[in-house]
Amino acid sequence: MKHIVILGGGYAGINLLNGLKKELGPLLGKEVKITLVDKNSFHFRKVLLFKTIVEDADLKVPLERYCTEGMEYVKGEAIACNHDKKEVAIKIETEQIQTIPYDYLVLALGSVMREVPSTQGGVTLSNMKAALDIRQKLLSLIQVAKTEENREVRRKLLRIAIVGGGITGIETSCELCVWLKEEVQKAGLDPDEVGVILFDAKDYVLHGAPVKVSERLAYELEKLGITLLSKTRVKQFENGQILCTDGTTYAAGECIWTPGVKVNLQEFHFPLSHTNQIVVTDTYRIEGYSHIFAIGDCARIIDKKTNQVDGMTCKEAIPQVARLSKILKNEISGIANFITHKAYPVKLYCISLGPNNGFVWVQKWGLDFIVSGKMGARIRERTWDQASLLV
């Protein structure tokens, strides 16, 4: 029986399980066995982490939900790979090392949130605990503002800085702005005293889109009451002051860092790119290892025809999964493979602008299509659910 081992139960890992289920069908449990390995017992919907600041959202989906006949889940952390013996070493909960043999190994180890040093002040939105800490800090600020008679002082207390203008920063800014205004109003204060500043070091927000699309998004942010400061790099938050590298300062009650994600895979000793991603071929094989593959955030995947590099988002990972599922089926069946990687066919961004608002941009045939408002929100919610296989 052929054994496929998948390391990582993130978006790429669970979608690969689903893709193999479709491709291998009746072979599962008879001729093919699949083992999914993750240090957690659940798939974590990390793109929705900002939601846990404002509500008690459950972002954990049990990994067993994705396993059917011929599939199993092993809770443990992959720590080493013996390429010659085709074995991967797993550290399980008891701190014991378990060795799992494989015929095909897939690394879908994803990425982790970057962490800003605590010496720079503020809070990095990097995990559930940080999100809950942010909520408590903001609720405390509201209570302090209730006791303050000076309107200008209240405005400074209720001004929140979000540092990082990527999609997470945008979505966090919008969600917080809407929620904070509601909480302030409940406390008997004027919601117009709430201010959210989004700092972005790039020239314009949504850097991968045309300037006119960025300007439209900036307009939508402004309507919500968010001040966008592009080309502004923050270096410190201290004593209620945001200090920028150009010497300018801004008063704020709290600073939330959303610096994006990073990949850290040095312990596996695979060839890495300058971005610390695993170097793979156009069939997702790791350079020099014919039976080991990598997909998702942890892999540097390039369309050889266009030289376009896949981004670290779900929209790129899911097509990768569909192709790799077919490639593995061909390998197991002894069929010649002619499937190679292709870049995502359209440019696309789906962004949440709060609980009932969204912004979707698609570029196809040189044309830009934008959907915003409630329809944009529904599209965004559907993409979240599709990525976690909940629809």
Side-chain angles (χ1 to χ4, degrees):
M1 181 180 290
K2 296 294 185 182
H3 191 193
I4 301 172
V5 176
I6 303 169
L7 303 182
Y11 294 100
I14 62 167
N15 277 278
L16 181 58
L17 270 183
N18 194 52
L20 290 170
K21 191 187 308 179
K22 293 176 180 177
E23 291 296 331
L24 299 176
L27 298 179
L28 288 174
K30 299 180 179 67
E31 298 180 33
V32 182
K33 174 185 176 183
I34 301 174
T35 299
L36 175 68
V37 179
D38 195 279
K39 63 182 180 182
N40 297 311
S41 61
F42 53 84
H43 161 67
F44 183 64
R45 305 177 72 194
K46 70 178 181 181
V47 296
L48 285 167
L49 181 58
F50 68 92
K51 285 278 187 184
T52 59
I53 299 176
V54 304
E55 62 182 76
D56 296 327
D58 185 6
L59 306 185
K60 299 176 181 178
V61 184
L63 286 171
E64 290 182 353
R65 171 184 178 138
Y66 302 106
C67 296
T68 56
E69 184 180 358
M71 299 177 171
E72 65 174 357
Y73 155 69
V74 173
K75 185 176 182 181
E77 183 177 4
I79 57 172
C81 181
N82 187 320
H83 320 303
D84 296 328
K85 292 185 177 180
K86 289 189 177 180
E87 294 176 343
V88 61
I90 308 296
K91 183 168 69 176
I92 57 180
E93 285 184 295
T94 58
E95 296 299 312
Q96 293 179 327
I97 305 300
Q98 176 181 344
T99 301
I100 301 178
Y102 64 83
D103 293 290
Y104 303 98
L105 178 66
V106 182
L107 276 70
L109 294 168
S111 56
V112 295
M113 302 289 189
R114 294 182 185 275
E115 192 79 39
V116 174
S118 59
T119 53
Q120 290 183 232
V123 184
T124 304
L125 181 57
S126 56
N127 52 49
M128 292 281 287
K129 182 182 181 304
L132 296 176
D133 286 347
I134 291 168
R135 184 197 300 185
Q136 290 307 312
K137 285 174 180 285
L138 298 184
L139 291 174
S140 296
L141 284 174
I142 294 173
Q143 294 306 309
V144 174
K146 283 178 66 175
T147 65
E148 179 57 58
E149 295 183 1
N150 187 298
R151 179 180 175 87
E152 187 57 35
V153 174
R154 287 199 305 270
R155 290 176 71 92
K156 289 178 181 178
L157 286 168
L158 298 174
R159 185 179 297 135
I160 310 303
I162 311 293
V163 183
I167 291 179
T168 299
I170 296 168
E171 294 184 327
T172 302
S173 299
C174 296
E175 200 77 21
L176 278 186
C177 192
V178 173
W179 174 79
L180 201 54
K181 286 183 177 182
E182 291 175 352
E183 292 299 316
V184 163
Q185 192 165 29
K186 288 178 189 176
L189 298 173
D190 183 357
D192 288 339
E193 294 180 350
V194 170
V196 175
I197 306 176
L198 177 60
F199 292 88
D200 186 14
K202 294 185 174 64
D203 292 345
Y204 56 91
V205 73
L206 209 62
H207 197 67
V211 174
K212 64 180 180 180
V213 176
S214 171
E215 291 173 345
R216 169 67 185 275
L217 177 57
Y219 170 71
E220 296 292 338
L221 296 176
E222 184 182 350
K223 284 199 304 182
L224 286 171
I226 296 167
T227 301
L228 173 64
L229 295 179
S230 298
K231 295 188 286 188
T232 308
R233 191 177 296 276
V234 174
K235 70 175 184 179
Q236 187 80 27
F237 174 63
E238 188 175 17
N239 298 324
Q241 292 288 321
I242 296 288
L243 176 61
C244 301
T245 55
D246 62 3
T248 57
T249 60
Y250 300 86
E254 187 55 78
C255 173
I256 301 166
W257 302 85
T258 56
V261 297
K262 66 176 182 178
V263 182
N264 186 12
L265 296 163
Q266 283 86 347
E267 66 269 23
F268 284 95
H269 305 293
F270 289 121
L272 300 179
S273 70
H274 68 282
T275 56
N276 284 328
Q277 293 171 293
I278 300 170
V279 177
V280 298
T281 68
D282 59 356
T283 57
Y284 311 112
R285 287 176 171 82
I286 297 177
E287 293 280 2
Y289 304 93
S290 62
H291 289 78
I292 307 179
F293 303 80
I295 52 170
D297 288 2
C298 72
R300 180 79 167 174
I301 300 174
I302 303 174
D303 185 326
K304 286 193 173 181
K305 289 186 178 179
T306 64
N307 210 34
Q308 182 176 327
V309 181
D310 265 23
M312 295 167 66
T313 70
C314 299
K315 76 174 185 288
E316 282 98 355
I318 292 173
Q320 293 167 18
V321 160
R323 293 189 187 93
L324 180 54
S325 298
K326 290 179 168 58
I327 290 169
L328 287 170
K329 178 185 178 181
N330 290 342
E331 285 274 341
I332 290 168
S333 304
I335 299 171
N337 177 65
F338 299 101
I339 300 168
T340 56
H341 173 72
K342 294 179 178 61
Y344 199 74
V346 299
K347 292 184 177 180
L348 167 69
Y349 283 110
C350 291
I351 303 171
S352 170
L353 301 182
N356 299 300
N357 194 1
F359 185 90
V360 179
W361 166 69
V362 181
Q363 187 181 75
K364 182 73 172 176
W365 306 301
L367 301 174
D368 295 306
F369 303 91
I370 294 174
V371 179
S372 59
K374 291 184 178 179
M375 180 60 74
R378 284 198 289 270
I379 293 171
R380 181 55 167 151
E381 286 179 15
R382 186 162 183 84
T383 62
W384 285 330
D385 290 342
Q386 283 179 329
S388 294
L389 300 174
L390 299 180
V391 291

